[in-house]
């Protein structure tokens, strides 16, 4: 079965640079979620989109922005990167935000030097 | 506010032993959903089981079973006859009405041959 696709899988950036993470949900899934997982921590919710509109917002820094496109893929844009942004970033998708199970992508491992 | 507590930081067992992971949650929602996810050393988050608050029937799926008790707000998870491949971090999660997941801190399971 098709899974959530994330790209790139690994990313190395310098401080103050920008990064764009991409997420392609499972076909027919209309909801996308972004999570950030620091080393040794549990995933923390950043933001979600339902039918291309922002649905909910968590602890996402103002330096980050995201959107969901007409084909339902989503991008997380991160600017002015800081050392503390180094983490594993997960995208998850589901059908109908209120009802269905979220399935996670393999994650993008971001390292900021 | 919702909260998920996994009091066990790490559990070490020898292969073929059973492992039970504890999860206690707090929510004001009358309808809610609980999940268990597995995160192996490779890093991906794998969905294991989901439980709806209105269905307290406990089930067994292969070597996995779960005990959902609404009266004590607990959602415990058991791996029967553990195998080395079960070594991973296991997260209990609670979904809010907007769909986002609130994770517990995770329990590291180490299965040795």
């Amino acid at each position: 079965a098709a899974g959530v696709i994330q790209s790139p899988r690994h990313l190395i950036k310098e401080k103050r640079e920008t990064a764009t993470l991409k997420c392609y949900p499972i076909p027919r899934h209309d909801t996308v979620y972004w999570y950030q997982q620091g080393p040794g921590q549990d995933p923390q919710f950043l933001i979600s989109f339902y039918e291309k509109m922002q649905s909910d917002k968590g602890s996402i820094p103002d330096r980050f922005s995201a959107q969901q496109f007409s084909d339902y893929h989503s991008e997380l844009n991160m600017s002015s990167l800081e050392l503390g942004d180094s983490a594993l970033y997960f995208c998850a998708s589901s059908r109908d935000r209120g009802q269905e199970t979220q399935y996670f992508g393999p994650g993008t491992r971001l390292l900021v030097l | 506010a919702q909260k998920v507590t996994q009091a066990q930081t790490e559990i070490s067992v020898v292969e073929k032993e059973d492992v039970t992971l504890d999860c206690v949650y707090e929510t004001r929602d009358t309808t809610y959903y609980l999940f268990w996810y597995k995160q192996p050393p490779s890093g991906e988050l794998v969905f294991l089981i989901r439980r709806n608050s209105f269905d307290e029937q406990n089930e067994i799926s292969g070597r996995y079973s779960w005990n959902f008790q609404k009266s004590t707000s607990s959602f415990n998870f058991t791996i029967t006859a553990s195998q080395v491949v079960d070594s991973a971090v296991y997260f209990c999660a609670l979904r809010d009405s907007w769909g986002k997941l609130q994770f517990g801190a995770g329990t590291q399971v180490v299965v040795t041959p």
Side-chain angles (χ1 to χ4, degrees):
Chain A
V4 177
I5 298 172
Q6 289 188 247
S7 68
R9 295 291 307 278
H10 302 273
L11 194 57
I12 300 176
K13 291 286 185 179
E14 300 279 341
K15 277 172 50 179
R16 292 179 289 278
E17 285 191 322
T18 61
T20 297
L21 279 52
K22 296 185 179 183
C23 169
Y24 297 86
I26 294 171
R28 292 180 296 283
H29 281 197
D30 51 22
T31 309
V32 168
Y33 307 81
W34 287 96
Y35 294 84
Q36 177 192 58
Q37 186 180 26
Q41 298 180 3
D42 56 286
Q44 295 292 316
F45 171 75
L46 293 177
I47 195 166
S48 63
F49 294 87
Y50 170 65
E51 282 292 344
K52 293 155 278 185
M53 299 286 288
Q54 182 178 308
S55 174
D56 194 10
K57 199 171 181 180
S59 49
I60 183 170
D62 292 340
R63 300 178 287 108
F64 294 5
S65 64
Q67 57 181 323
Q68 186 179 30
F69 295 86
S70 57
D71 63 351
Y72 293 99
H73 95 272
S74 178
E75 295 183 4
L76 178 65
N77 298 293
M78 310 160 71
S79 62
S80 302
L81 287 169
E82 301 174 356
L83 297 179
D85 296 328
S86 295
L88 189 53
Y89 290 83
F90 286 107
C91 170
S93 74
S94 72
R95 274 187 320 184
D96 187 351
R97 62 181 174 178
Q99 303 295 329
E100 298 294 325
T101 297
Q102 291 179 35
Y103 293 92
F104 284 77
T108 293
R109 195 170 294 276
L110 172 67
L111 178 60
V112 181
L113 301 176
Chain B
Q2 303 199 126
K3 186 177 179 181
V4 178
T5 301
Q6 293 180 253
Q8 303 151 308
T9 305
E10 180 171 325
I11 299 176
S12 294
V13 297
V14 177
E15 214 170 14
K16 297 184 184 177
E17 289 184 339
D18 296 348
V19 180
T20 295
L21 309 179
D22 298 334
C23 175
V24 175
Y25 62 91
E26 295 176 28
T27 180
R28 292 184 179 179
D29 293 341
T30 53
T31 300
Y32 49 90
Y33 300 83
L34 293 158
F35 301 81
W36 278 96
Y37 285 87
K38 173 184 178 181
Q39 187 170 42
S42 51
E44 71 270 26
L45 276 169
V46 180
F47 164 72
L48 296 177
I49 58 173
R50 153 190 161 144
R51 206 76 210 141
N52 307 327
S53 59
F54 45 85
D55 182 1
E56 289 195 67
Q57 182 179 356
N58 295 308
E59 294 183 18
I60 298 174
S61 175
R63 294 188 299 111
Y64 298 154
S65 63
W66 47 95
N67 186 344
F68 174 41
Q69 302 223 350
K70 214 169 176 178
S71 59
T72 57
S73 297
S74 65
F75 184 47
N76 298 336
F77 176 69
T78 297
I79 306 171
T80 302
S82 61
Q83 302 174 1
V84 172
V85 292
D86 296 326
S87 296
V89 178
Y90 289 81
F91 289 100
C92 179
L94 173 64
R95 190 175 72 196
D96 74 3
S97 54
W98 289 98
K100 71 172 181 282
L101 294 174
Q102 176 69 50
F103 287 86
T107 298
Q108 173 79 58
V109 172
V110 179
V111 183
T112 54

